[in-house]
Amino acid sequence: MLTLASSTTWAQDSDTLNLVFDSLSLKRMPGSVIRIDVENELMRDQRTGIGSAIAGKVPGVLDAFNTWGTGAAVILVDGVPQDSYYYNSLSLMEIESIVLLKDATSKALYGAQGDQGVMLIKTKRNRQKGRRLRIMGEYSAAVPRAMPHYLNAADYMEKYNEALLNDGADPASLVYSQEAIDASRNGELSAIYPDNDFYSNTYLRENVSNINIFADVDGGNENVGYYVNTEWQRSSGWLNTPQGDVTDRLNFRGNLDFKVNDYLKAGLNTSARLSFNEKPKSGDYWNKFATVLPNSYPVLWDPAQITDQELREMILAEATLVDGQVLGGNSSFLNNVYGDLTRNGNTRLMRRNIQFGGRLDLDMSFLTKGLSAAAYGGMNFYNTLFTQQNPGYSVYEPVFNTDANTIDSVIIHGVDKTARKFNTNEGNSDFFRQVTYYGTLNYNRTLGDHDISAVALVYGNEITNNNVLQKNALFHAGVSVNYMYAGKYVGEAALTGIGSRKLARGSRMELAPTFGLAWIVSEEGFMSGAGGIDYLKVKATYGISKNDNWDNYFLYNGTFVRGATLNYYNGTNRNSETNYASVANDIGLQKRRDFTAGIEGSFLNKALQVDAGYFNSTSLDNITLMSQTYPQVLGYENLVYNNFNSDQTQGIELGLSYTYQINKLSVTAGSNLLWFSPKVKKREEPVYEGNDRVLRRAGKPTDAMWGLLSDGLYGEADFNADGSLKNGLPVPTFGAVRPGDIKYLDQNGDQIIDQRDQRIIGHGIRTQYSLYLDIRYKNFGLYVLGIGKAGNSSFRSGNYNRVFGNVKYSEMANYAYGPDNKDVNAIHPRLTTGSGSHNDRNSDYWLYKNSSFMIPAMQLTYHFTEESLLPFIKDTRVYVRATNVLVTGKNKRFQEVNPNGPPVTQGLALGLMASF
């Protein structure tokens, strides 16, 4: 039978957490800390991305990396901060544990990196004698959940004519004739009346696939331990052209630990992460699919339609044919979409990340018991190499006789040129180098009822970017002390000095204090008779962290240069003029003030696990351009920066897990909840008076969605015979309006519709909840995870949802107000060939509720018992997993369509993992 083990540890676990600079048990931590046991997580959910071990599985995290809704946590892999390319290529198979630090006390020693939370990833190292070999192979395939739907050429031409009429065009001067529309609809003379569908199987595959093969080995003895892994992944991509969009990823890691003597241990680690992408040199093909009109030009057309025999034979002899057809085009479209995908050569993008480092651990108990020291130094190299072929190809523009509907001649644009050589494109290549080092002095001692753990730290991290003068440097030093008395009273305090080169000399170090308290209530004598309570801890933390997470290094400098032109001799001559303005920018580090309080508990003979907490995180003194305080009329526009803006986020986090076990059946049901409320505490903004005071951002939600309020669309009854609005209706300032335009409401009573009529019409996500079920019976395991988001709104945005101007028309054009649909509550305003300056602005007309619930993973696993395997096989399991099998939401058609990128998918995976 399978044994049931919790994948997420909230509190009472006595296991020691590796916190990079120190080690502590969860029991002794007063803050909001989560530990994920990756081995146990993979037993039920074999998805290997880091986010799959976090999203929906732990309390207090929005999506995969956003702590409390305040922003993305920094990710440290074996103590080194890594970028998205590195951690997105990590496999859970090479990770031992993940620890999330959310409160001020637990993240204090991570300095500026700890502003929005810290995620500590510890890679695998040998922990046992002997040797173990593991292999894992997985094949997965995915299909689109939704694809964009654009109008065909005939429907587009009809709708475009409708837009012209809406704009007041003369019906006799429309762009598209009825003859052209009918011919296109009937498929006649495709060279003259093309109808291109870029989402057909000519361009895109019906599904994509992914192959993932992973192997690792670890072993050692009491003196030496090693761990090595290698991984290969191939993603097929969506293109159905001879050269698809294929990506290969190769990963390698090697960790070595050895004992030098009784006092000194050393560890070495190295990793290499490489990816290779090859695809046609077409640029952003998704954008082309979404923007090139279906009738712009014939992508392919048959030269047999040419009436001149000599010309036809010449074209057939000289052109490079595609299934007997030539590439179409014209002077406006020299680059044919299909030609770019098949005849324009390929691009190759190679990304490489090489990391290596070494650590020394010194046992200094020869000086005093419990004293130790550690030092780490390492380097991280990342570069990209982008190469491309530079061939050429011809496009053939058919010139036809409009009277006879025949092709009389052909204009040839471009020259066919074959190119096999790949040339380096330096503009798309990149490089950075990272150096990380730290040193610690640790003291861990138990003296009767007194448990003391203290650490002193010096930390530095520098990143050198390509073509950037100033290095991105972090430096901090600090002391943290954790004290436990009688196994039930915990106190922790830290003081960190955070340094930054972004501050003026002499002011580059600031102090940040934190402290926390915890009470293990279940250890008290009066709890001995409390039935059902196995473990209960009450905890609270408070602290200040500081950071320099703003872009410009030299804001403190205060001297700015502005170029201008001096005219003289009555404007007939001019000279260059340079103005110098000096403004004192007395700036300091940005601050975050965190307060947390909560409980952790285990009840009913450890069947019920509870983690509940309140958090209040305020981002203070954020660097702000004081454009309203020092406007242009004073000569200081865009010159003065101060520590000014502040925001606050508060909320609750809750995690519940209940396990029922009887005989060979065990069932674990769990839920995680995050609710938060973000608010603007202080904002540099204009002075609003009277009815406009409601526009002040201070005191409003930071995620507020501001926009105009509407009352449907203007109808014909709202206009006079001359086209002017009837008396009493407020006058819009965004351009002339006609029937079918959005009818905005006058909020401030001035009878004018402008930006001052904006109000809060929605907000971002505030609530995320998840439910999971883990059922294990004999050798079978079934795991189902569901994640929901509630209360948030989104705008229908982009050219797909808002059809204005000379854009490609999506299916939304069919729902527009028009001659056949004069409903003032239509879901799309009238079509127009103009910019839509009145309609194309944020308002509640375009707003929709974005609440949803999805099942991102559902996995069925069969575990082979040792008795059913060969003697040398220790553990084997096979599994089938479905992803995104269920997505519900009132407005799915707006949520799932991704017109300018790859589609949202659902898929199936089959896999095998075995240990030897």
Side-chain angles (χ1 to χ4, degrees), residues 387-415:
T387 60
Q388 64 185 33
Q389 295 173 312
N390 295 306
Y393 62 90
S394 301
V395 295
Y396 298 82
E397 178 182 0
V399 180
F400 57 95
N401 186 319
T402 56
D403 295 329
N405 279 337
T406 58
I407 299 175
D408 293 341
S409 62
V410 176
I411 300 175
I412 303 175
H413 302 276
V415 177

Side-chain angles (χ1 to χ4, degrees), residues 193-225:
Y193 306 111
D195 185 7
N196 302 313
D197 180 6
F198 298 115
Y199 292 89
S200 68
N201 58 14
T202 300
Y203 302 89
L204 296 175
R205 304 170 57 185
E206 295 181 352
N207 59 74
V208 291
S209 60
N210 186 79
I211 299 173
N212 186 7
I213 297 176
F214 181 96
D216 65 0
V217 60
D218 67 278
N221 52 40
E222 63 274 8
N223 294 317
V224 179

